[in-house]
Amino acid sequence: MYSPDGTSAAAGLGNGNIVVYSSSSWEILWTLKGHNKSVNSLVYSPDSNRIVSGSYDRIVQLWNIQSGTCDHMFDHKNRVASVAYSPRGDRVASTGGKTVKLWDVQTGECRQTCIGHRDRVLEVIYSPNGCQIASSSQDCTVRLWDIEAGRCLHVLCGHEENVVSIAYSPQGDQVASASHDWTVRLWDVVTGECRHELIDHGGYIYSVMFSPSGKQLASASSDYTVRLWDVESGVCLYTLSHDHEVPSVVYSPQGELIASASDDNTVRLWDAEMGVCRHILTGHSQGVSSVMFSPKGDQVASISEDTTVRLWDVRAGTSQRTTSGHDRTVNQVKSSPKGDHIATCSEDGTVRIWDVATGVCRQILRGHRFSVYSVAYSPQGDRIASGSLDNTVRLWNAETGACTHTLTGHSNSVKIVSYSPQGDQLASASQDRTIRLWDARSGECTHILIGHTKLVNGIMYSPNGNRILSYSDNSTLRIWDVETGNCNHTLTGHNDEILCAAYSSPQGDQLVSGGRDTTVRVWDVGMGECRQILRGHNKRVTSLTYSPKGNQIASGGGDGSLKVWDTEAGTCLWTLNGHTYQVNKIVYSSRGDVVISASDDKSVRIWDVTSGQCRAVIQDYESLAVDIAWIETPGMNYLVAGCEDGSVGMWQVKSDQDGCHVSLRWKPTRAELDVKDATIQDVQGLSQLDKQLLIQRGAVGEPAHQLREAIKKVNTMASVVSMLKTPRERVEDPVLTSLVSMEEEEPQEVTEQHIEHSKHLQLRNIVAAFVQETREFM
């Protein structure tokens, strides 16, 4: 639904959320969370500043669009099927059960309860002058009510089935009603008499609407047609045909066009005067459930069962935009140097630039053919680098979103990109086991760093930019000279894969590393020697960072614990318990008194490292946070999280003498259906063994919660490798990569650890990564 002033549009979701879009950029302004069941109805206030929503959770909520907050919550006591705003904006009507309730917008009080229907009320609407409301019901009647007295003026009888849609004429002298008895009826508002019974449809009628002039009426039906009627005579003027059921029809504001939405996956634009089709709008992959014109009539928005909202240019008949956040897992989140923008990269193949203040997506950087694993801002903030599964690095203009260079040379996917502190150089690490140094201005490769014998898990520049640290699955760290490209030191001591490392700040004379051997090691950069071994984690060390002053180290483990270490003494200052699963990312505040951690338990925690206490727990999202960024501004801090479900969210964090206060600032989501219980019943073109692998991962024929039983169908890595028909280092899937050792030829059994890891994979990742990406390497 568009706002009356045309600046925004809103859609209610099956998960209870409401997504508010900017109609100019068609990016998400707010995700309004409050309902815990499907949102069935929503409408804007006449001044466009508020939205009222009704849900199966029996609650009516009044939202402030300027702040994204709920002003009032009305308990209707029954499932809410419909809501309506009065033309003056002072009252809201809602239906629940057999009653209609009228609420005062300012006080939140119930002013009237309209009782009379003998079955569930399906819809309520206000008359154009706001003096009456009309309600339709499963009792086969329409009732007209005086809103001041709450008195029923007329009971409009005649339909033989549920009355599912009603509309006032623009003049307010007639009401149209549509029923499952296959008829439309026109009623006189003053007398309550039926003027016309329109009987030409051959199926259920879902929707009716008067033209702006009031001379025409459109009705949409399950008989695959839209019919246009002359209101004065009741004669059918035109029959407009689709290839499947038509659930929605709407006139343009000027009345010269009609838009219809159909289960044939199309939206059709019709000439209302001639009854001819001007455009067939294709692009949705499933049925279209709703369609609406913008207030100016130059755009049409459509909502589909394929979980997308599409924006169409009426004149050209083309799709302008498909709204969503990222379609798949967000792999990395990076803040611009000024903290005013956020860059995120995703497995959907895009990089997105978000405005921190509003949450609006300013740019979508398209060009990579496959997943984008890493993104980095230049120190000046004017450029962005991204690394992808398509083996390339791309450089982008952060202001315009234009791709300035495509850097080729790597023979496998690029997992990490990093700018030098001066911004004149860029480093990239690839699954081809090499690191490349590039001139950031010209895009030329200046050095190829060769030495690691297994996958490179991370790279980073030293604070002065003279050295690069890299660490690998082969249990070694290497320190490279940026000027010559030579390896100064190879640091050995870990006896398993190194998963994380960090330079001390600001000196850069030390570095710290952690991995699967559960130890944290502190190294002297100049000598290339291990100074300390910090023991205490009982599972792999998954994240590390130095405090800003370099006097502390924070480490996160696979068991969910965090440890804070004194770098001078090598002692553990605090063990911070609270997370229940692996800690993925740790960030220090600029003062070093706060640590922020993100975990596989779908929470982010804010810790006070001076007291060892948890100051706040953020659990406002349904998916685990893959990466986080901490932004500090005068008087306020912000936390940004990129999640596995493709969403990006920002929380406002304010600390005072009363504690730490956290509130959700914005969170654009995909506005999609929940995939937790979704399954694919069949996949064409795959062998039985391929299907077994998908079954193992909870994607085919069995829901994800049966994964433990399905896992038994594929119990050795030999069958997986055979199916992929590819060198083992080409395997991109995180589950498969964890199962395969590139130098070990013996197949390994699928373990409980791999089962748990598989549970985190969303359905869209399974299909896209397995079918689209892995197949590229066959």
Side-chain angles (χ1 to χ4, degrees):
M1 169 173 281
Y2 277 96
S3 61
D5 63 7
T7 60
S8 66
L13 308 183
N15 63 4
N17 294 344
I18 299 166
V19 183
V20 182
Y21 303 93
S22 164
S23 59
S24 58
S25 65
W26 213 239
E27 298 300 336
I28 295 174
L29 302 176
W30 300 102
T31 298
L32 309 179
K33 288 190 169 187
H35 293 294
N36 55 36
K37 291 186 178 180
S38 175
V39 177
N40 299 319
S41 180
L42 60 86
V43 64
Y44 276 90
S45 61
D47 62 6
S48 301
N49 291 329
R50 288 176 169 179
I51 286 176
V52 61
S53 59
S55 167
Y56 270 169
D57 63 7
R58 307 181 181 187
I59 300 299
V60 177
Q61 296 203 47
L62 191 62
W63 303 90
N64 187 313
I65 300 304
Q66 307 303 316
S67 62
T69 57
C70 179
D71 288 345
H72 290 295
M73 187 179 297
F74 313 135
D75 188 354
H76 199 107
K77 306 298 184 183
N78 288 284
R79 290 182 175 182
V80 180
S82 177
V83 293
Y85 240 111
S86 67
R88 294 192 296 268
D90 58 338
R91 292 189 182 181
V92 164
S94 63
T95 69
K98 302 176 185 179
T99 66
V100 177
K101 290 179 181 286
L102 304 181
W103 308 88
D104 188 292
V105 168
Q106 296 302 320
T107 66
E109 296 178 356
C110 180
R111 292 298 188 186
Q112 299 287 350
T113 299
C114 303
I115 300 174
H117 282 293
R118 291 171 297 151
D119 207 335
R120 184 166 174 252
V121 183
L122 300 177
E123 188 174 13
V124 62
I125 58 173
Y126 274 90
S127 63
N129 62 12
C131 295
Q132 287 184 1
I133 58 171
S135 58
S136 64
S137 169
Q138 287 181 341
D139 65 9
C140 309
T141 70
V142 177
R143 287 178 177 255
L144 305 183
W145 308 84
D146 181 287
I147 64 170
E148 290 301 325
R151 178 172 57 90
C152 181
L153 301 173
H154 295 291
V155 181
L156 311 182
C157 300
H159 285 296
E160 298 176 359
E161 295 287 347
N162 300 344
V163 183
V164 296
S165 180
I166 49 178
Y168 272 101
S169 64
Q171 297 78 19
D173 59 337
Q174 294 188 71
V175 165
S177 59
S179 170
H180 281 178
D181 64 7
W182 301 11
T183 69
V184 176
R185 289 177 177 256
L186 296 178
W187 308 87
D188 187 292
V189 167
V190 177
T191 65
E193 295 179 355
C194 181
R195 290 184 175 180
H196 296 291
E197 183 182 10
L198 315 179
I199 59 174
D200 289 356
H201 276 296
Y204 292 161
I205 302 170
Y206 297 128
S207 177
V208 289
M209 184 179 186
F210 280 96
S211 66
S213 67
K215 296 180 179 180
Q216 255 187 23
L217 181 80
S219 56
S221 170
S222 65
D223 66 4
Y224 299 12
T225 70
V226 172
R227 290 181 182 265
L228 305 186
W229 310 85
D230 180 81
V231 171
E232 184 65 29
S233 65
V235 173
C236 181
L237 302 174
Y238 301 108
T239 301
L240 317 178
S241 297
H242 274 275
D243 296 328
H244 214 291
E245 296 186 8
V246 186
S248 178
V249 63
V250 63
Y251 277 92
S252 66
Q254 296 76 24
E256 80 279 10
L257 286 178
I258 292 171
S260 56
S262 171
D263 285 348
D264 64 10
N265 305 354
T266 70
V267 173
R268 296 181 188 234
L269 300 182
W270 310 86
D271 187 298
E273 185 68 27
M274 303 297 294
V276 296
C277 183
R278 287 195 181 176
H279 295 293
I280 300 177
L281 311 181
T282 60
H284 285 296
S285 60
Q286 295 184 41
V288 186
S289 58
S290 182
V291 65
M292 65 212 78
F293 276 96
S294 64
K296 293 181 179 179
D298 58 339
Q299 296 175 343
V300 165
S302 57
I303 301 174
S304 169
E305 293 173 7
D306 65 10
T307 74
T308 65
V309 177
R310 283 183 177 263
L311 185 68
W312 310 86
D313 184 285
V314 169
R315 179 173 295 181
T318 56
S319 177
Q320 294 181 323
R321 178 164 298 205
T322 304
T323 68
S324 67
H326 284 292
D327 293 334
R328 295 168 61 193
T329 300
V330 177
N331 289 321
Q332 204 166 56
V333 178
K334 289 294 177 67
S335 171
S336 64
K338 293 181 180 179
D340 54 344
H341 290 90
I342 289 290
T344 58
C345 64
S346 167
E347 290 184 11
D348 65 9
T350 69
V351 174
R352 292 175 183 253
I353 303 174
W354 307 86
D355 186 286
V356 167
T358 65
V360 171
C361 180
R362 294 301 185 188
Q363 299 284 351
I364 302 177
L365 312 184
R366 293 186 171 94
H368 286 295
R369 294 185 297 121
F370 302 122
S371 299
V372 184
Y373 291 129
S374 182
V375 64
Y377 269 100
S378 66
Q380 298 77 22
D382 58 338
R383 287 165 291 151
I384 290 174
S386 57
S388 169
L389 177 66
D390 64 10
N391 305 352
T392 69
V393 175
R394 284 181 177 258
L395 305 183
W396 312 83
N397 183 303
E399 182 66 28
T400 66
C403 180
T404 59
H405 294 92
T406 301
L407 313 182
T408 60
H410 285 295
S411 60
N412 208 321
S413 54
V414 181
K415 304 292 284 192
I416 310 122
V417 290
S418 179
Y419 271 100
S420 66
Q422 295 76 25
D424 58 341
Q425 193 178 75
L426 181 78
S428 60
S430 167
Q431 285 196 306
D432 64 10
R433 308 175 190 177
T434 69
I435 299 159
R436 287 179 177 253
L437 305 184
W438 312 83
D439 185 291
R441 292 295 178 185
S442 67
E444 295 181 0
C445 180
T446 57
H447 294 292
I448 303 175
L449 313 182
I450 301 174
H452 288 293
T453 58
K454 287 191 177 181
L455 299 182
V456 181
N457 290 327
I459 55 173
M460 62 192 66
Y461 278 90
S462 61
N464 61 15
N466 294 334
R467 294 181 294 268
I468 285 180
L469 166 68
S470 62
Y471 51 96
S472 167
D473 276 359
N474 67 355
S475 309
T476 65
L477 299 94
R478 288 177 176 260
I479 300 174
W480 308 84
D481 185 282
V482 168
E483 189 67 30
T484 64
N486 295 329
C487 179
N488 292 341
H489 298 290
T490 300
L491 312 182
T492 60
H494 286 289
N495 56 31
D496 208 334
E497 298 173 14
I498 301 175
L499 302 176
C500 49
Y503 264 109
S504 63
S505 179
Q507 299 83 6
D509 57 338
Q510 292 184 11
L511 62 88
V512 62
S513 61
R516 291 190 180 276
D517 64 4
T518 74
T519 67
V520 175
R521 291 177 179 258
V522 181
W523 308 84
D524 184 294
V525 171
M527 301 296 293
E529 297 176 351
C530 181
R531 285 186 174 181
Q532 294 172 330
I533 302 176
L534 311 180
R535 306 181 190 274
H537 286 286
N538 55 29
K539 286 190 176 181
R540 60 191 177 277
V541 180
T542 54
S543 52
L544 284 168
T545 186
Y546 270 95
S547 64
K549 295 180 180 179
N551 61 329
Q552 289 182 355
I553 295 169
S555 60
D559 58 358
S561 69
L562 280 82
K563 291 183 179 290
V564 179
W565 309 85
D566 183 290
T567 55
E568 191 64 33
T571 56
C572 181
L573 300 175
W574 302 106
T575 297
L576 310 179
N577 293 314
H579 287 300
T580 56
Y581 290 103
Q582 173 175 303
V583 179
N584 296 318
K585 184 70 178 287
I586 306 174
V587 179
Y588 262 101
S589 65
S590 62
R591 293 192 303 177
D593 58 336
V594 171
V595 163
I596 305 93
S597 58
S599 167
D600 276 0
D601 64 8
K602 302 181 182 179
S603 75
V604 174
R605 288 177 177 260
I606 301 175
W607 307 86
D608 187 323
V609 294
T610 62
S611 65
Q613 299 297 311
C614 180
R615 301 177 67 179
V617 181
I618 301 172
Q619 293 177 306
D620 287 338
Y621 47 89
E622 295 79 20
S623 181
L624 65 90
V626 177
D627 197 14
I628 56 174
W630 181 254
I631 303 171
E632 298 184 357
T633 62
M636 191 67 65
N637 299 322
Y638 301 96
L639 172 71
V640 180
C643 301
E644 192 179 49
D645 64 1
S647 64
V648 179
M650 187 176 80
W651 288 262
Q652 182 174 285
V653 183
K654 185 176 182 179
S655 298
D656 56 29
Q657 59 184 5
D658 296 325
C660 185
H661 309 281
V662 179
S663 59
L664 182 64
R665 182 70 177 273
W666 52 259
K667 186 185 178 186
T669 65
R670 280 201 66 226
E672 64 174 358
L673 300 177
D674 194 349
V675 300
K676 289 189 294 184
D677 298 322
T679 61
I680 300 173
Q681 296 303 322
D682 193 20
V683 181
Q684 300 296 324
L686 298 181
S687 69
Q688 185 61 35
L689 187 58
D690 295 352
K691 291 181 182 180
Q692 282 183 332
L693 181 65
L694 289 177
I695 289 172
Q696 172 192 350
R697 297 166 65 184
V700 178
E702 298 182 50
H705 67 263
Q706 295 179 354
L707 186 123
R708 288 182 181 273
E709 292 299 318
I711 199 79
K712 298 175 183 178
K713 299 180 181 180
V714 180
N715 61 4
T716 68
M717 218 28 241
S719 62
V720 177
V721 174
S722 173
M723 181 274 297
L724 287 174
K725 302 176 184 177
T726 178
R728 294 187 176 189
E729 62 267 26
R730 297 280 192 175
V731 178
E732 299 296 333
D733 183 273
V735 175
L736 303 186
T737 301
S738 69
L739 288 170
V740 178
S741 169
M742 291 186 299
E743 295 181 352
E744 186 170 294
E745 295 298 326
E746 291 296 322
Q748 302 176 23
E749 289 189 357
V750 178
T751 66
E752 284 290 309
Q753 174 187 337
H754 302 128
I755 296 174
E756 291 298 322
H757 191 104
S758 294
K759 288 181 178 179
H760 292 312
L761 295 176
Q762 296 286 332
L763 183 60
R764 58 183 176 275
N765 296 346
I766 293 168
V767 177
F770 181 77
V771 177
Q772 296 177 11
E773 297 176 359
T774 307
R775 288 291 183 185
E776 291 294 323
F777 297 109
M778 286 188 172

